[in-house]
Amino acid sequence: MQKENIILENAKKLVQVKLAGEASGHDWWHIVRVRNMACKIALEEKADAFICQLTALLHDMADEKLNDKPDEELERIHFWLLEQNLSPTDADHVIRNIRTLSFKGNGKLVPDSLEGQIVQDADRLDAIGAIGIARCMAYSGSKGRPIHDPVMKPREQLTPEVYRNGQDTAIMHFYEKLLKLKDLMNTDFGRKMAEQRHQYLENFLEEFYAEWDGQR
Ligand code: ADP
Ligand code: NI
């Protein structure tokens, strides 16, 4: 097997062990979807598909929701990449991508490479559309939060701390993150993919409120 394929296989095993049983929307199949979508966008955008796939596979490993010390975990992954005989330049690249991918309440971080931007788009596409709705409900349920509370209003200015720990409902999360994602896409292909998924969110909300009010 080619060196790159061996590294991808090893990364896959590493991630599968870490995410086994994860029930807050970061499960293994999220990683598989992000990897597949990143490959698809990489082809369109003529990017390095290996770096995209490696970033996609590892992108949630050092997430603060899954780690008490995310920075230490990121260092451990950096070391692991070098152990895999990945060049220091590529290892730095993947780590930089992972560091800048996450939404963290404001969506202001943008990876500085095309490959990082592609995986960010793929990750964000998985947060909208039908799958995005399912993940949002699963995440909210895992935190014991309500589906909807008409008294609670979406918050405008979200710091990373409030984004993670504040009072929240699943429906509030649509306004605080999901509906913003289509305008934050980095690539043309990602933007195009986001359109239909975004429309699906809008349709869902319309139906949700109509049913809430007993109109349908
Ligand atoms: P990122 O890794 O881009 O920061 P998150 O880790 O915040 O994304 O989100 C992972 C998944 O969980 C996404 O589908 C996201 O929409 C969902 N999620 C995150 N925070 C909440 C929340 N407060 N309520 C509902 N779903 C959430
Ligand atoms: Ni992710």
Side-chain angles (χ1 to χ4, degrees):
M1 225 195 310
Q2 220 184 325
K3 177 184 153 196
E4 295 188 342
N5 284 337
I6 295 173
I7 298 179
L8 291 175
E9 272 309 301
N10 289 343
K12 188 174 151 182
K13 285 182 204 140
L14 191 76
V15 181
Q16 274 179 320
V17 169
K18 173 108 179 172
L19 299 186
E22 159 59 32
S24 70
H26 283 92
D27 59 299
W28 166 244
W29 293 108
H30 162 64
I31 306 297
V32 173
R33 291 189 302 268
V34 173
R35 179 187 182 177
N36 290 342
M37 182 58 76
C39 274
K40 202 168 158 162
I41 306 178
L43 200 67
E44 293 287 327
E45 303 282 336
K46 298 181 179 47
D48 183 330
F50 168 67
I51 295 290
C52 285
Q53 290 184 76
L54 195 53
T55 302
L57 280 168
L58 298 173
H59 85 273
D60 273 337
M61 284 285 288
D63 192 288
E64 73 250 20
K65 290 192 275 351
L66 309 174
N67 296 281
D68 292 336
K69 295 181 175 158
D71 284 340
E72 280 178 23
E73 179 66 4
L74 207 57
E75 258 175 56
R76 203 175 70 83
I77 297 167
H78 198 167
F79 188 71
W80 182 87
L81 287 169
L82 295 170
E83 266 178 357
Q84 301 291 310
N85 283 327
L86 191 67
S87 74
T89 315
D90 283 350
D92 279 348
H93 184 178
V94 170
I95 294 297
R96 248 187 11 258
N97 286 345
I98 299 175
R99 208 187 279 286
T100 47
L101 251 150
S102 171
F103 185 78
K104 299 249 169 61
N106 54 29
K108 283 190 182 133
L109 285 176
V110 181
D112 62 11
S113 75
L114 176 60
E115 286 73 19
Q117 293 177 11
I118 285 173
V119 180
Q120 187 174 60
D121 279 5
D123 194 30
R124 288 176 169 175
L125 283 167
D126 210 54
I128 55 180
I131 287 180
I133 295 172
R135 291 181 72 215
C136 174
M137 295 300 163
Y139 182 94
S140 226
S142 80
K143 297 277 171 202
R145 295 175 183 163
I147 297 171
H148 179 47
D149 180 345
V151 176
M152 290 171 74
K153 301 293 172 209
R155 300 150 300 178
E156 301 272 322
Q157 297 295 328
L158 277 177
T159 61
E161 292 71 33
V162 174
Y163 174 66
R164 287 295 179 218
N165 304 319
Q167 292 287 314
D168 207 355
T169 69
I171 293 295
M172 275 164 75
H173 190 64
F174 278 65
Y175 299 95
E176 293 179 349
K177 173 178 172 187
L178 309 188
L179 292 167
K180 295 177 180 168
L181 293 179
K182 89 166 165 43
D183 292 330
L184 294 172
M185 301 303 284
N186 303 303
T187 64
D188 286 342
F189 189 75
R191 234 183 317 279
K192 237 173 65 207
M193 295 286 301
E195 269 169 33
Q196 191 176 340
R197 295 187 186 205
H198 180 88
Q199 192 53 51
Y200 197 87
L201 296 181
E202 299 273 18
N203 297 349
F204 173 84
L205 285 173
E206 193 196 320
E207 178 71 19
F208 185 94
Y209 293 129
E211 291 181 14
W212 189 273
D213 293 335
Q215 291 165 3
R216 280 185 210 153

